[in-house]
Amino acid sequence: MKNKKTLKIKLIALFIMLTMLMPLSLACGEDPAGSGSAAGNTTAGEPAGEETTPAPTPEPTPPPPPTDPPTTEPPTEPFVLDESLSYFDQIYSELEWRGLSGGVLAFNAANADNDGKPDESGLMRRFGANNTRREEMTPEEIGDGVPFSVAYRVWTSKDMDNFWEAGYSSAFARDLETNEDDLVVGVVWIRGRRLEESDDFDADEPADFYLAIKTETDNWASEGEVQPQGRQSAEEEWEKIIWTGRVVNEEAQSSRLGFNIYMGYGIQEFEIGGMVAWVFPSTPDNERAAMRIHF
């Protein structure tokens, strides 16, 4: 009996000892998968407790660089005149060589003597004189060495209170599709001399003139940003002037615009030929080409 009682006591003591040692054994083992504070922070399919590298955030796609306006390089080779072309075509081909495009003839140049086609005579006869007198020149008076064939002599006979009170001008053709900021580019050949002394000018002063594009739309206030700008002096020999201007107002009718050569600087005489101009749209290429004409 004593042995059985002693065995029973030993078994109870052993059970108590195992019960006390079990928490210590569990504390020394590994945590079960998915337990602890890291639970729920892993990506599905990845080992528990393993750090994951997030996918890199793509850099923002930079906006495309602004498209530069088309560029035209200034011509490097000299312009070669094609003498087989008509005078108008010769001038227009030079403006194209300079980088201009899309021009429409600014003046009415139709000539009944030329089956209604534009020509020099049709255009030049439409220029009118204001406080000046004019007469057509003969080929012998025009002389050799110039590409045009029609010219007029225009002169003043007295001083004017204002230089714009005497001049030579023409309205633009009707029904042109003009827009504000359109460019106007043309050519005039001119030579001049002072005829005599007046109250305001000495006899040895040069013959002076002034170019402008005027319109009644703004009560004649604007001058069309014409270059060369301001008062100019004519040489005694033919000089070719390429001039540029601009449509500075929205015009209800293109014929409200007019090109003017003001001459009210005393008693003087001019010979004017080869007049022609085109209206060009204001594009980056045309603007650059027009700017290079004078700068």
Side-chain angles (χ1 to χ4, degrees):
M1 289 291 297
K2 185 176 181 179
N3 290 337
K4 290 183 178 180
K5 187 176 181 178
T6 300
L7 180 60
K8 184 177 182 179
I9 292 171
K10 289 181 177 181
L11 290 174
I12 292 172
L14 180 60
F15 178 78
I16 292 171
M17 185 179 295
L18 291 173
T19 302
M20 292 175 65
L21 292 174
M22 185 176 291
L24 182 60
S25 175
L26 292 175
C28 293
E30 291 184 1
D31 290 341
S35 66
S37 62
N41 290 345
T42 60
T43 304
E46 292 181 351
E50 185 175 312
E51 290 188 9
T52 60
T53 303
T57 302
E59 295 183 6
T61 303
T67 303
D68 292 329
T71 59
T72 53
E73 296 296 329
T76 56
E77 298 296 327
F79 175 69
V80 178
L81 177 66
D82 184 351
E83 296 183 357
S84 68
L85 298 175
S86 69
Y87 172 70
F88 286 178
D89 289 340
Q90 288 178 13
I91 298 298
Y92 191 78
S93 66
E94 180 180 356
L95 298 184
E96 286 185 316
W97 171 80
R98 291 177 178 272
L100 292 156
S101 63
V104 178
L105 196 63
F107 303 116
N108 182 2
N111 188 348
D113 297 335
N114 191 31
D115 297 326
K117 297 177 182 178
D119 66 10
E120 295 178 63
S121 178
L123 192 155
M124 290 294 295
R125 69 177 54 176
R126 286 176 171 78
F127 273 76
N130 177 35
N131 284 325
T132 58
R133 299 182 66 185
R134 71 167 190 168
E135 64 180 10
E136 188 170 1
M137 299 173 64
T138 67
E140 291 75 21
E141 290 172 326
I142 294 172
D144 299 326
V146 291
F148 58 89
S149 59
V150 181
Y152 281 79
R153 181 178 294 108
V154 185
W155 67 94
T156 58
S157 56
K158 61 180 180 179
D159 286 328
M160 297 291 168
D161 292 335
N162 301 293
F163 70 87
W164 60 82
E165 293 175 353
Y168 196 52
S169 64
S170 175
F172 284 24
R174 293 179 181 272
D175 301 324
L176 294 181
E177 292 186 7
T178 61
N179 297 291
E180 189 173 354
D181 288 332
D182 279 353
L183 293 163
V184 187
V185 184
V187 165
V188 57
W189 291 75
I190 191 167
R191 63 186 179 187
R193 63 199 63 83
R194 189 162 296 280
L195 297 177
E196 60 183 83
E197 183 178 340
S198 67
D199 292 339
D200 296 330
F201 297 91
D202 294 333
D204 59 354
E205 291 189 58
D208 288 342
F209 62 96
Y210 191 111
L211 305 179
I213 295 175
K214 303 294 283 186
T215 174
E216 60 181 311
T217 298
D218 59 10
N219 198 29
W220 315 106
S222 61
E223 297 186 357
E225 301 179 12
V226 172
Q227 296 285 347
Q229 184 180 33
R231 185 169 168 176
Q232 307 293 313
S233 295
E235 304 291 336
E236 293 190 5
E237 300 297 328
W238 284 115
E239 179 185 8
K240 176 186 176 183
I241 297 174
I242 301 179
W243 56 270
T244 62
R246 192 178 298 278
V247 178
V248 297
N249 300 292
E250 286 287 351
E251 300 292 341
Q253 292 289 334
S254 55
S255 57
R256 288 177 179 265
L257 291 161
F259 178 66
N260 298 261
I261 306 176
Y262 294 122
M263 305 175 178
Y265 298 104
I267 302 171
Q268 50 187 359
E269 175 184 80
F270 297 91
E271 293 166 359
I272 299 170
M275 194 91 71
V276 65
W278 288 267
V279 178
F280 292 92
S282 176
T283 65
D285 282 351
N286 283 345
E287 292 286 348
R288 274 187 289 270
M291 187 178 299
R292 284 197 297 265
I293 290 174
H294 303 290
F295 300 99

